[in-house]
Amino acid sequence: MARGLSEEQLAAYFTLTEVGNLLEQAVSDQLRADGDLSPVQFQVLATLGEPGAPDYRMTDLADRIVYSRSGFSYQAGQLEKRGLIARERDGHDERSTVVRLTAQGRDLLARVMPGHVEVVRELLLEALPPRDLQTLRGVLDPVRDRLRSRPPRSARPRRRTG
Amino acid sequence: MARGLSEEQLAAYFTLTEVGNLLEQAVSDQLRADGDLSPVQFQVLATLGEPGAPDYRMTDLADRIVYSRSGFSYQAGQLEKRGLIARERDGHDERSTVVRLTAQGRDLLARVMPGHVEVVRELLLEALPPRDLQTLRGVLDPVRDRLRSRPPRSARPRRRTG
DNA sequence: TATTGTTATACTCTATAACTATA
DNA sequence: TATAGTTATAGAGTATAACAATA
């Protein structure tokens, strides 16, 4: 089995997967309790709320969060209904929609973040000496960049319309 | 923001999350194409098919895969319908159900694995020198153990039944 | 009385394809 | 003709609570 992959390599991959799953499960409970948010919704808000965040179009966020456009439209609708984000026409390209965080969205993010950070600290960081954390970043950043550089789903050709 | 968490720490966490998401997306496409499996279904088969795998009860797998029991019952039903797993009574505790891989399940796993490994290699391993891979394991294994040691969802008290 | 597992139900999420509008 | 976004639809996945059986 695992043609050309060592046990070691496969094990590392499965560990990465399992850590991701277990972490998401715990985080999911916290986000639901503190802000009635799904992990995906939190990710949208957090991405928009990052310090030097650029303007995002719908497609940009869909690609980043790993959603089909339609799926992201749905989520954006949910968040907009709650007044957490706003959508407005892009002045440069009338086809595009720019998404931004509202004041309410920023508030909710601020309200959810402490508990979120607490969970992350407890589950991830306390098991990681600062030195290892830095190592983790050094190791994963190139992987992330490699993954980001792949053509996103939105780049797939669409079927001809009737 | 991020009371008590450094930028560095938060960034490492977000990177871990994003790598997990992007990896799962790519893997998901491959599993669907090669075996008509969701990532979760693959995870069930792969867990059951590991070399020295023990007997698993339904609850054990639900906890491991991060599902509610009912959700796992649903997935087990899907896999059983396709003849990929089998459920049988546990001789030691008549309440329990033991899950095992069928020959068909083993076949499918073997058929899906090469493509799966290929994706993992391309997206994860080629960006990781062997040395870093070992580091990654050393860093994540304790985290995984810590996460596993938490009380799983199935341990939550159930509401009194009417 | 607690635990294992299933089921009924309701809801959320997701993708595909059709559709509108702009480039 | 291609791209950005939305929507309709249909299906998959998930959780809660109720249920049956065993410990």
Side-chain angles (χ1 to χ4, degrees):
Chain A
M1 202 184 301
R3 197 178 52 185
L5 263 204
S6 68
E7 290 289 321
E8 183 86 15
Q9 289 174 314
L10 204 57
Y13 161 62
F14 279 133
T15 298
L16 186 64
T17 299
E18 191 176 347
V19 166
N21 285 345
L22 291 169
L23 203 53
E24 168 147 16
Q25 192 258 35
V27 152
S28 176
D29 289 345
Q30 181 268 325
L31 293 174
R32 186 60 66 190
D34 291 356
D36 195 27
L37 290 172
S38 68
V40 170
Q41 289 165 347
F42 170 76
Q43 212 181 335
V44 173
L45 300 186
T47 302
L48 291 173
E50 269 172 350
D55 278 356
Y56 285 102
R57 298 173 313 142
M58 291 294 289
T59 302
D60 298 334
L61 278 178
D63 288 344
R64 177 68 82 88
I65 314 293
V66 176
Y67 262 61
S68 65
R69 298 193 211 191
S70 68
F72 187 72
S73 270
Y74 169 79
Q75 291 296 348
Q78 297 297 308
L79 293 172
E80 200 171 42
K81 248 194 281 182
R82 294 174 61 183
L84 303 173
I85 66 170
R87 287 182 277 192
E88 43 199 46
R89 276 296 177 79
D90 180 349
H92 301 297
D93 184 338
E94 290 285 322
R95 291 172 302 182
S96 302
T97 299
V98 170
V99 186
R100 62 174 181 76
L101 210 53
T102 63
Q104 277 184 60
R106 215 168 281 280
D107 285 353
L108 181 59
L109 196 53
R111 206 153 64 245
V112 164
M113 201 53 106
H116 187 68
V117 159
E118 200 41 56
V119 171
V120 173
R121 188 213 313 286
E122 187 189 330
L123 297 185
L124 179 65
L125 301 178
E126 284 189 2
L128 281 186
R131 194 188 185 76
D132 284 354
L133 188 83
Q134 206 154 7
T135 303
L136 186 65
R137 254 197 106 178
V139 166
L140 288 185
D141 278 358
V143 175
R144 183 203 53 201
D145 293 342
R146 188 185 183 84
L147 286 165
R148 272 194 193 163
S149 74
R150 304 191 83 218
R153 278 184 171 169
S154 66
R156 289 180 187 173
R158 299 202 193 179
R159 187 79 64 87
R160 293 273 265 99
T161 160
Chain B
M1 202 186 303
R3 195 180 51 186
L5 263 203
S6 68
E7 290 289 322
E8 183 88 13
Q9 289 175 314
L10 205 58
Y13 160 63
F14 280 133
T15 299
L16 187 63
T17 299
E18 190 176 347
V19 166
N21 284 346
L22 292 169
L23 204 52
E24 168 147 16
Q25 193 258 36
V27 152
S28 175
D29 289 345
Q30 180 268 324
L31 292 173
R32 188 59 68 190
D34 291 356
D36 196 25
L37 290 171
S38 69
V40 169
Q41 289 165 347
F42 170 75
Q43 211 181 336
V44 173
L45 300 185
T47 302
L48 290 174
E50 268 172 350
D55 278 357
Y56 285 102
R57 297 173 315 142
M58 291 294 289
T59 301
D60 298 334
L61 278 178
D63 288 343
R64 177 68 82 87
I65 313 294
V66 177
Y67 261 60
S68 64
R69 299 194 209 190
S70 68
F72 187 72
S73 269
Y74 169 80
Q75 291 295 347
Q78 298 297 308
L79 294 172
E80 201 172 39
K81 249 194 278 180
R82 294 174 60 183
L84 303 174
I85 65 170
R87 286 183 275 193
E88 42 199 48
R89 276 295 177 79
D90 182 349
H92 303 296
D93 185 336
E94 289 287 320
R95 290 173 302 184
S96 301
T97 299
V98 170
V99 186
R100 62 175 182 74
L101 210 54
T102 62
Q104 276 184 61
R106 215 168 281 280
D107 284 354
L108 181 59
L109 195 53
R111 207 155 62 244
V112 165
M113 200 53 105
H116 188 68
V117 159
E118 199 41 56
V119 171
V120 173
R121 188 213 314 285
E122 187 188 330
L123 297 185
L124 178 65
L125 301 178
E126 284 189 2
L128 280 186
R131 192 188 188 77
D132 284 354
L133 188 83
Q134 207 153 6
T135 303
L136 187 64
R137 252 196 107 177
V139 166
L140 287 185
D141 279 357
V143 175
R144 182 203 53 201
D145 294 341
R146 187 185 183 85
L147 285 165
R148 274 195 192 161
S149 74
R150 305 191 82 217
R153 276 185 171 168
S154 66
R156 287 182 188 170
R158 298 203 194 178
R159 186 78 65 86
R160 295 273 266 99
T161 162

